[in-house]
Amino acid sequence: METTHCGLSLISKQSEFIGLLDRLVLEGSSDELNELTLVFWKLYPELSLAFARRVLRTLEKLSVPDRRFEAPLLVILARCYLRCGRLDASCEHIRAAQRIMEDDVPARLLQLTTELEVMIHLACTDLESAQQAFRCLEDSMSLSCGGLNCEQSLLGLRLSFNIGDLDGALQHALRAIERAVTDEQRQRARLHATWIETYRTGDVRRELMQLVPLEHTQNTQRPAPASDLKALLSCRLARCFLSQGKLVQAEVRLSTTDTLRASAVGDPALVGCALQVAHGHLSDARADLDLLQSADLCGQSQIEHLSRRFAVLMLEQMLDGACLGSMQAEEFFGLCEATGHGGLQMRARVLLASAQLASGESELAIRTLKEGGLLLASHKALRLVALALVALCRPDQAALDQLGDLLTDDDVSFVILLVARAHPHFIELLISMGLDEALSAGARRLLDARLVYVRSLLEESKRSLQKTGAAPAFFADPVLDSGHALRIQFFGGLQVRRRGIRIDLERLRRNKVRALLIVLVCARGREVSRAKIMAELWPQQTEERALNNFYVTWNALKASFMADGPKLPRQHCPPERFPFSCNGGRCALLTGYCSSDLGDFDRLVLRIKDAAYRGDDERCFKFADELLTLYQGELLPADRDSEPVAALRLFYRKTFVEIMLLVAHQALASRHSSLALPFIERGLSADPSCEELYRLAMHAYALEGRRDDSLLSYEQCRRTLERELGIEPSQELNDLFSRLAGQSAA
């Protein structure tokens, strides 16, 4: 066997490392294992989940630690178990390693083991043990090196943040900057320091002033800097620009972010979802939130998980309204109160007060805010939300004055949008109190369409309010109170509804207007070039004539949607009335203001498949029932002559039948034959020639004791296949029929 040094020099891939580890476990010495463990940390400072699982599988095949009860091997196992989320095993192995670790073990390995112990206790939310381990690390490093190094100071920052000591976290960040050896370490430490400062104060402007020079340094360095640091920096910049309502700058930074590397400081998936909300693409934002639920959170502490959960819940309030999340807000508040973490408790109180206000409990919401001291909080965004909620509950001049001062700050632009979406009456409050004039430029960019729309409604209602002599009050407008103003239905026939009332589609009876609507809705919010629309709708005409026809058709489409609304200038046409855009030769459906049953169908299919994969039958059947209600018939049955619609109709029909098969299989596998039958029957109504559905129907009827119906299903299948396809049932189905017929005769 090669010496350890020769073996280590050959490591260039993970498989080579695992192979060398395998040989050392079987034949190597303790010194070689110590050296390999140090190399393990050097080569792989961040473990991927797949690599950790490969290491565990290899060592478990060798019956480690039964075969080699060595401390360094136990440390490797503990680290891999932590990455895989197996916290109990990780904690057990690190303790076993410390019990048998010899006095002459390399000092660096001892330090790494103590660092790992701190991380394991953090992941287990055992903060007392984590603090004790960190004190041991400080004592050890003080004796050997004169104090903590940069990476250890950042670990101390993480520990201080988890116990709620933000001052201590900032001190650790400053110490990390002092002890940094390389430019990369120094930049990473500064990045963490700005994160802690912003978490305390919400001062995004100051953070940007520190991050932009860091970005410039990264871009000018040669060779290129480490990708994980650049990912963290890009993600933080995207979040800062989003906070100020600068969506273009945020998108540029997010597009350069490596999402697999940026989870340590600022979650890029959450920033991306928030950007979708800011653009009004609510369907895409909901899909992103669904994916976030299955994100890899291995190694995170409870505090870190709850911090992320807070952002998710606030986004859910923006999407669905604050009243729909009252139970979740109460549960979240209870969890945060139990941690004793001051920053989390304040955030949980804001979330809870928002839900209480939306549920009509205004006094309770005010009490929640005052008890938490949020009206005097140093964090700008939290204080703004608290003042906005108080003003919505019971407007008073002092709160309004403080609110007006904060509205001028660009740093809270996205937070203003958050409040406006979670509590639609906030827009009317701003206008009625004259505070809309104080909005910052960033907030105006995000709220422009909604401000115009509310002003038009206020002008319409002003005369009636004067006649009745009623006191100024918030008007109930379903357009603002719901997530979407309009609803477009394709399954079973084209329908468009606003506020639940069907729109007269007389103008849409013209084929080209109808075709334009179908093209934009089928794009699901993605932009479609005007040239592509013209080529599809007027393929035989010259460009000039086709362009003229496009504008005529576009105006006819607009007239159909705007016929029953207030007369507004073209430039102020709000998306709640006409949910389409045409800018720069590109057209799109504004999914933030208009939902379609196509989008709902796609989301339900993803949820059903996910629930089936996870074995969650209850959710699987629940979503499948919703799909049955949604699929009211074939897609656009009146548009038989359109080839694109025919292809789309076939796709959705096949998808519907596949889902019915999947859910029926799930129901029969769990012996719920009565649940399977409705899905089988609806699947057969969509595709009468699906032999697999007939087979499931025969099984389901047999399990229900309805053998005659089971045999009739076979006969129906035989006749349908012969009539539609000119074929006989498969041998498998014939055999099943023979068995059932024999049992029936017996």
Side-chain angles (χ1 to χ4, degrees), residues 461-479:
S461 61
K462 185 177 181 181
R463 183 173 301 175
S464 60
L465 287 174
Q466 289 174 346
K467 286 182 178 179
T468 58
F474 294 132
F475 52 82
D477 181 19
V479 173

mmCIF file with all atom_site columns, all heavy atoms in Angstrom, residues 461-479:
data_model
loop_
_atom_site.group_PDB
_atom_site.id
_atom_site.type_symbol
_atom_site.label_atom_id
_atom_site.label_alt_id
_atom_site.label_comp_id
_atom_site.label_asym_id
_atom_site.label_entity_id
_atom_site.label_seq_id
_atom_site.pdbx_PDB_ins_code
_atom_site.Cartn_x
_atom_site.Cartn_y
_atom_site.Cartn_z
_atom_site.occupancy
_atom_site.B_iso_or_equiv
_atom_site.pdbx_formal_charge
_atom_site.auth_seq_id
_atom_site.auth_comp_id
_atom_site.auth_asym_id
_atom_site.auth_atom_id
_atom_site.pdbx_PDB_model_num
ATOM 1   N N   . SER A 1 461 ? -66.541 56.947 -5.394  1.00 0.00 ? 461 SER A N   1
ATOM 2   C CA  . SER A 1 461 ? -67.345 56.803 -4.178  1.00 0.00 ? 461 SER A CA  1
ATOM 3   C C   . SER A 1 461 ? -67.505 58.113 -3.395  1.00 0.00 ? 461 SER A C   1
ATOM 4   O O   . SER A 1 461 ? -68.305 58.191 -2.458  1.00 0.00 ? 461 SER A O   1
ATOM 5   C CB  . SER A 1 461 ? -66.701 55.763 -3.257  1.00 0.00 ? 461 SER A CB  1
ATOM 6   O OG  . SER A 1 461 ? -65.411 56.175 -2.884  1.00 0.00 ? 461 SER A OG  1
ATOM 7   N N   . LYS A 1 462 ? -66.769 59.154 -3.793  1.00 0.00 ? 462 LYS A N   1
ATOM 8   C CA  . LYS A 1 462 ? -66.789 60.404 -3.033  1.00 0.00 ? 462 LYS A CA  1
ATOM 9   C C   . LYS A 1 462 ? -68.175 61.033 -3.007  1.00 0.00 ? 462 LYS A C   1
ATOM 10  O O   . LYS A 1 462 ? -68.660 61.466 -1.955  1.00 0.00 ? 462 LYS A O   1
ATOM 11  C CB  . LYS A 1 462 ? -65.773 61.374 -3.634  1.00 0.00 ? 462 LYS A CB  1
ATOM 12  C CG  . LYS A 1 462 ? -65.622 62.672 -2.858  1.00 0.00 ? 462 LYS A CG  1
ATOM 13  C CD  . LYS A 1 462 ? -64.544 63.540 -3.478  1.00 0.00 ? 462 LYS A CD  1
ATOM 14  C CE  . LYS A 1 462 ? -64.367 64.825 -2.690  1.00 0.00 ? 462 LYS A CE  1
ATOM 15  N NZ  . LYS A 1 462 ? -63.319 65.694 -3.301  1.00 0.00 ? 462 LYS A NZ  1
ATOM 16  N N   . ARG A 1 463 ? -68.850 61.054 -4.153  1.00 0.00 ? 463 ARG A N   1
ATOM 17  C CA  . ARG A 1 463 ? -70.165 61.684 -4.229  1.00 0.00 ? 463 ARG A CA  1
ATOM 18  C C   . ARG A 1 463 ? -71.184 60.948 -3.366  1.00 0.00 ? 463 ARG A C   1
ATOM 19  O O   . ARG A 1 463 ? -71.954 61.571 -2.632  1.00 0.00 ? 463 ARG A O   1
ATOM 20  C CB  . ARG A 1 463 ? -70.650 61.719 -5.678  1.00 0.00 ? 463 ARG A CB  1
ATOM 21  C CG  . ARG A 1 463 ? -71.981 62.431 -5.856  1.00 0.00 ? 463 ARG A CG  1
ATOM 22  C CD  . ARG A 1 463 ? -72.325 62.575 -7.319  1.00 0.00 ? 463 ARG A CD  1
ATOM 23  N NE  . ARG A 1 463 ? -71.286 63.325 -8.015  1.00 0.00 ? 463 ARG A NE  1
ATOM 24  C CZ  . ARG A 1 463 ? -71.274 63.517 -9.322  1.00 0.00 ? 463 ARG A CZ  1
ATOM 25  N NH1 . ARG A 1 463 ? -72.230 63.001 -10.078 1.00 0.00 ? 463 ARG A NH1 1
ATOM 26  N NH2 . ARG A 1 463 ? -70.304 64.221 -9.875  1.00 0.00 ? 463 ARG A NH2 1
ATOM 27  N N   . SER A 1 464 ? -71.174 59.613 -3.412  1.00 0.00 ? 464 SER A N   1
ATOM 28  C CA  . SER A 1 464 ? -72.146 58.859 -2.610  1.00 0.00 ? 464 SER A CA  1
ATOM 29  C C   . SER A 1 464 ? -71.888 59.021 -1.119  1.00 0.00 ? 464 SER A C   1
ATOM 30  O O   . SER A 1 464 ? -72.824 59.078 -0.315  1.00 0.00 ? 464 SER A O   1
ATOM 31  C CB  . SER A 1 464 ? -72.103 57.378 -2.989  1.00 0.00 ? 464 SER A CB  1
ATOM 32  O OG  . SER A 1 464 ? -70.813 56.855 -2.747  1.00 0.00 ? 464 SER A OG  1
ATOM 33  N N   . LEU A 1 465 ? -70.622 59.143 -0.742  1.00 0.00 ? 465 LEU A N   1
ATOM 34  C CA  . LEU A 1 465 ? -70.312 59.347 0.672   1.00 0.00 ? 465 LEU A CA  1
ATOM 35  C C   . LEU A 1 465 ? -70.821 60.712 1.151   1.00 0.00 ? 465 LEU A C   1
ATOM 36  O O   . LEU A 1 465 ? -71.317 60.858 2.273   1.00 0.00 ? 465 LEU A O   1
ATOM 37  C CB  . LEU A 1 465 ? -68.799 59.256 0.899   1.00 0.00 ? 465 LEU A CB  1
ATOM 38  C CG  . LEU A 1 465 ? -68.175 57.858 0.822   1.00 0.00 ? 465 LEU A CG  1
ATOM 39  C CD1 . LEU A 1 465 ? -66.661 57.945 0.912   1.00 0.00 ? 465 LEU A CD1 1
ATOM 40  C CD2 . LEU A 1 465 ? -68.710 56.981 1.938   1.00 0.00 ? 465 LEU A CD2 1
ATOM 41  N N   . GLN A 1 466 ? -70.712 61.719 0.290   1.00 0.00 ? 466 GLN A N   1
ATOM 42  C CA  . GLN A 1 466 ? -71.188 63.050 0.666   1.00 0.00 ? 466 GLN A CA  1
ATOM 43  C C   . GLN A 1 466 ? -72.711 63.075 0.800   1.00 0.00 ? 466 GLN A C   1
ATOM 44  O O   . GLN A 1 466 ? -73.260 63.711 1.688   1.00 0.00 ? 466 GLN A O   1
ATOM 45  C CB  . GLN A 1 466 ? -70.734 64.071 -0.382  1.00 0.00 ? 466 GLN A CB  1
ATOM 46  C CG  . GLN A 1 466 ? -69.240 64.342 -0.359  1.00 0.00 ? 466 GLN A CG  1
ATOM 47  C CD  . GLN A 1 466 ? -68.801 65.246 -1.495  1.00 0.00 ? 466 GLN A CD  1
ATOM 48  O OE1 . GLN A 1 466 ? -69.553 65.457 -2.449  1.00 0.00 ? 466 GLN A OE1 1
ATOM 49  N NE2 . GLN A 1 466 ? -67.587 65.770 -1.392  1.00 0.00 ? 466 GLN A NE2 1
ATOM 50  N N   . LYS A 1 467 ? -73.392 62.342 -0.068  1.00 0.00 ? 467 LYS A N   1
ATOM 51  C CA  . LYS A 1 467 ? -74.849 62.323 -0.012  1.00 0.00 ? 467 LYS A CA  1
ATOM 52  C C   . LYS A 1 467 ? -75.356 61.653 1.257   1.00 0.00 ? 467 LYS A C   1
ATOM 53  O O   . LYS A 1 467 ? -76.294 62.099 1.895   1.00 0.00 ? 467 LYS A O   1
ATOM 54  C CB  . LYS A 1 467 ? -75.410 61.595 -1.232  1.00 0.00 ? 467 LYS A CB  1
ATOM 55  C CG  . LYS A 1 467 ? -75.317 62.412 -2.517  1.00 0.00 ? 467 LYS A CG  1
ATOM 56  C CD  . LYS A 1 467 ? -75.927 61.642 -3.675  1.00 0.00 ? 467 LYS A CD  1
ATOM 57  C CE  . LYS A 1 467 ? -75.870 62.472 -4.949  1.00 0.00 ? 467 LYS A CE  1
ATOM 58  N NZ  . LYS A 1 467 ? -76.440 61.742 -6.102  1.00 0.00 ? 467 LYS A NZ  1
ATOM 59  N N   . THR A 1 468 ? -74.755 60.552 1.643   1.00 0.00 ? 468 THR A N   1
ATOM 60  C CA  . THR A 1 468 ? -75.230 59.828 2.826   1.00 0.00 ? 468 THR A CA  1
ATOM 61  C C   . THR A 1 468 ? -74.739 60.457 4.119   1.00 0.00 ? 468 THR A C   1
ATOM 62  O O   . THR A 1 468 ? -75.278 60.169 5.188   1.00 0.00 ? 468 THR A O   1
ATOM 63  C CB  . THR A 1 468 ? -74.748 58.373 2.772   1.00 0.00 ? 468 THR A CB  1
ATOM 64  O OG1 . THR A 1 468 ? -73.314 58.362 2.687   1.00 0.00 ? 468 THR A OG1 1
ATOM 65  C CG2 . THR A 1 468 ? -75.313 57.655 1.546   1.00 0.00 ? 468 THR A CG2 1
ATOM 66  N N   . GLY A 1 469 ? -73.709 61.284 4.012   1.00 0.00 ? 469 GLY A N   1
ATOM 67  C CA  . GLY A 1 469 ? -73.164 61.903 5.221   1.00 0.00 ? 469 GLY A CA  1
ATOM 68  C C   . GLY A 1 469 ? -72.391 60.931 6.085   1.00 0.00 ? 469 GLY A C   1
ATOM 69  O O   . GLY A 1 469 ? -72.143 61.186 7.255   1.00 0.00 ? 469 GLY A O   1
ATOM 70  N N   . ALA A 1 470 ? -72.029 59.789 5.527   1.00 0.00 ? 470 ALA A N   1
ATOM 71  C CA  . ALA A 1 470 ? -71.313 58.782 6.318   1.00 0.00 ? 470 ALA A CA  1
ATOM 72  C C   . ALA A 1 470 ? -69.884 59.238 6.576   1.00 0.00 ? 470 ALA A C   1
ATOM 73  O O   . ALA A 1 470 ? -69.285 59.950 5.769   1.00 0.00 ? 470 ALA A O   1
ATOM 74  C CB  . ALA A 1 470 ? -71.303 57.453 5.572   1.00 0.00 ? 470 ALA A CB  1
ATOM 75  N N   . ALA A 1 471 ? -69.356 58.788 7.705   1.00 0.00 ? 471 ALA A N   1
ATOM 76  C CA  . ALA A 1 471 ? -67.969 59.110 8.028   1.00 0.00 ? 471 ALA A CA  1
ATOM 77  C C   . ALA A 1 471 ? -67.042 58.368 7.079   1.00 0.00 ? 471 ALA A C   1
ATOM 78  O O   . ALA A 1 471 ? -67.376 57.295 6.591   1.00 0.00 ? 471 ALA A O   1
ATOM 79  C CB  . ALA A 1 471 ? -67.675 58.698 9.475   1.00 0.00 ? 471 ALA A CB  1
ATOM 80  N N   . PRO A 1 472 ? -65.892 58.942 6.772   1.00 0.00 ? 472 PRO A N   1
ATOM 81  C CA  . PRO A 1 472 ? -64.959 58.248 5.885   1.00 0.00 ? 472 PRO A CA  1
ATOM 82  C C   . PRO A 1 472 ? -64.643 56.856 6.423   1.00 0.00 ? 472 PRO A C   1
ATOM 83  O O   . PRO A 1 472 ? -64.346 56.675 7.603   1.00 0.00 ? 472 PRO A O   1
ATOM 84  C CB  . PRO A 1 472 ? -63.705 59.149 5.915   1.00 0.00 ? 472 PRO A CB  1
ATOM 85  C CG  . PRO A 1 472 ? -64.230 60.499 6.281   1.00 0.00 ? 472 PRO A CG  1
ATOM 86  C CD  . PRO A 1 472 ? -65.384 60.256 7.203   1.00 0.00 ? 472 PRO A CD  1
ATOM 87  N N   . ALA A 1 473 ? -64.741 55.888 5.574   1.00 0.00 ? 473 ALA A N   1
ATOM 88  C CA  . ALA A 1 473 ? -64.481 54.504 5.974   1.00 0.00 ? 473 ALA A CA  1
ATOM 89  C C   . ALA A 1 473 ? -63.824 53.781 4.818   1.00 0.00 ? 473 ALA A C   1
ATOM 90  O O   . ALA A 1 473 ? -63.922 54.183 3.669   1.00 0.00 ? 473 ALA A O   1
ATOM 91  C CB  . ALA A 1 473 ? -65.782 53.803 6.369   1.00 0.00 ? 473 ALA A CB  1
ATOM 92  N N   . PHE A 1 474 ? -63.171 52.705 5.131   1.00 0.00 ? 474 PHE A N   1
ATOM 93  C CA  . PHE A 1 474 ? -62.543 51.911 4.084   1.00 0.00 ? 474 PHE A CA  1
ATOM 94  C C   . PHE A 1 474 ? -63.621 51.222 3.272   1.00 0.00 ? 474 PHE A C   1
ATOM 95  O O   . PHE A 1 474 ? -64.558 50.648 3.808   1.00 0.00 ? 474 PHE A O   1
ATOM 96  C CB  . PHE A 1 474 ? -61.620 50.849 4.694   1.00 0.00 ? 474 PHE A CB  1
ATOM 97  C CG  . PHE A 1 474 ? -60.436 51.444 5.400   1.00 0.00 ? 474 PHE A CG  1
ATOM 98  C CD1 . PHE A 1 474 ? -60.088 51.022 6.666   1.00 0.00 ? 474 PHE A CD1 1
ATOM 99  C CD2 . PHE A 1 474 ? -59.670 52.431 4.797   1.00 0.00 ? 474 PHE A CD2 1
ATOM 100 C CE1 . PHE A 1 474 ? -58.994 51.556 7.308   1.00 0.00 ? 474 PHE A CE1 1
ATOM 101 C CE2 . PHE A 1 474 ? -58.584 52.970 5.431   1.00 0.00 ? 474 PHE A CE2 1
ATOM 102 C CZ  . PHE A 1 474 ? -58.245 52.532 6.692   1.00 0.00 ? 474 PHE A CZ  1
ATOM 103 N N   . PHE A 1 475 ? -63.506 51.291 1.966   1.00 0.00 ? 475 PHE A N   1
ATOM 104 C CA  . PHE A 1 475 ? -64.481 50.597 1.128   1.00 0.00 ? 475 PHE A CA  1
ATOM 105 C C   . PHE A 1 475 ? -64.038 49.150 0.947   1.00 0.00 ? 475 PHE A C   1
ATOM 106 O O   . PHE A 1 475 ? -62.859 48.852 0.931   1.00 0.00 ? 475 PHE A O   1
ATOM 107 C CB  . PHE A 1 475 ? -64.612 51.269 -0.246  1.00 0.00 ? 475 PHE A CB  1
ATOM 108 C CG  . PHE A 1 475 ? -63.318 51.486 -0.955  1.00 0.00 ? 475 PHE A CG  1
ATOM 109 C CD1 . PHE A 1 475 ? -62.722 50.473 -1.667  1.00 0.00 ? 475 PHE A CD1 1
ATOM 110 C CD2 . PHE A 1 475 ? -62.687 52.719 -0.889  1.00 0.00 ? 475 PHE A CD2 1
ATOM 111 C CE1 . PHE A 1 475 ? -61.518 50.667 -2.319  1.00 0.00 ? 475 PHE A CE1 1
ATOM 112 C CE2 . PHE A 1 475 ? -61.484 52.920 -1.542  1.00 0.00 ? 475 PHE A CE2 1
ATOM 113 C CZ  . PHE A 1 475 ? -60.895 51.900 -2.251  1.00 0.00 ? 475 PHE A CZ  1
ATOM 114 N N   . ALA A 1 476 ? -65.014 48.270 0.805   1.00 0.00 ? 476 ALA A N   1
ATOM 115 C CA  . ALA A 1 476 ? -64.726 46.855 0.589   1.00 0.00 ? 476 ALA A CA  1
ATOM 116 C C   . ALA A 1 476 ? -64.686 46.595 -0.913  1.00 0.00 ? 476 ALA A C   1
ATOM 117 O O   . ALA A 1 476 ? -65.703 46.653 -1.580  1.00 0.00 ? 476 ALA A O   1
ATOM 118 C CB  . ALA A 1 476 ? -65.793 45.985 1.248   1.00 0.00 ? 476 ALA A CB  1
ATOM 119 N N   . ASP A 1 477 ? -63.515 46.368 -1.430  1.00 0.00 ? 477 ASP A N   1
ATOM 120 C CA  . ASP A 1 477 ? -63.373 46.135 -2.861  1.00 0.00 ? 477 ASP A CA  1
ATOM 121 C C   . ASP A 1 477 ? -62.772 44.753 -3.070  1.00 0.00 ? 477 ASP A C   1
ATOM 122 O O   . ASP A 1 477 ? -61.611 44.521 -2.743  1.00 0.00 ? 477 ASP A O   1
ATOM 123 C CB  . ASP A 1 477 ? -62.454 47.192 -3.474  1.00 0.00 ? 477 ASP A CB  1
ATOM 124 C CG  . ASP A 1 477 ? -62.301 47.004 -4.969  1.00 0.00 ? 477 ASP A CG  1
ATOM 125 O OD1 . ASP A 1 477 ? -63.158 46.313 -5.554  1.00 0.00 ? 477 ASP A OD1 1
ATOM 126 O OD2 . ASP A 1 477 ? -61.337 47.511 -5.533  1.00 0.00 ? 477 ASP A OD2 1
ATOM 127 N N   . PRO A 1 478 ? -63.544 43.804 -3.594  1.00 0.00 ? 478 PRO A N   1
ATOM 128 C CA  . PRO A 1 478 ? -63.024 42.451 -3.775  1.00 0.00 ? 478 PRO A CA  1
ATOM 129 C C   . PRO A 1 478 ? -61.792 42.399 -4.669  1.00 0.00 ? 478 PRO A C   1
ATOM 130 O O   . PRO A 1 478 ? -60.996 41.479 -4.572  1.00 0.00 ? 478 PRO A O   1
ATOM 131 C CB  . PRO A 1 478 ? -64.203 41.703 -4.427  1.00 0.00 ? 478 PRO A CB  1
ATOM 132 C CG  . PRO A 1 478 ? -65.409 42.508 -4.096  1.00 0.00 ? 478 PRO A CG  1
ATOM 133 C CD  . PRO A 1 478 ? -64.951 43.934 -4.024  1.00 0.00 ? 478 PRO A CD  1
ATOM 134 N N   . VAL A 1 479 ? -61.634 43.368 -5.551  1.00 0.00 ? 479 VAL A N   1
ATOM 135 C CA  . VAL A 1 479 ? -60.457 43.369 -6.419  1.00 0.00 ? 479 VAL A CA  1
ATOM 136 C C   . VAL A 1 479 ? -59.182 43.474 -5.590  1.00 0.00 ? 479 VAL A C   1
ATOM 137 O O   . VAL A 1 479 ? -58.194 42.799 -5.833  1.00 0.00 ? 479 VAL A O   1
ATOM 138 C CB  . VAL A 1 479 ? -60.536 44.530 -7.426  1.00 0.00 ? 479 VAL A CB  1
ATOM 139 C CG1 . VAL A 1 479 ? -59.245 44.640 -8.207  1.00 0.00 ? 479 VAL A CG1 1
ATOM 140 C CG2 . VAL A 1 479 ? -61.711 44.323 -8.371  1.00 0.00 ? 479 VAL A CG2 1
#
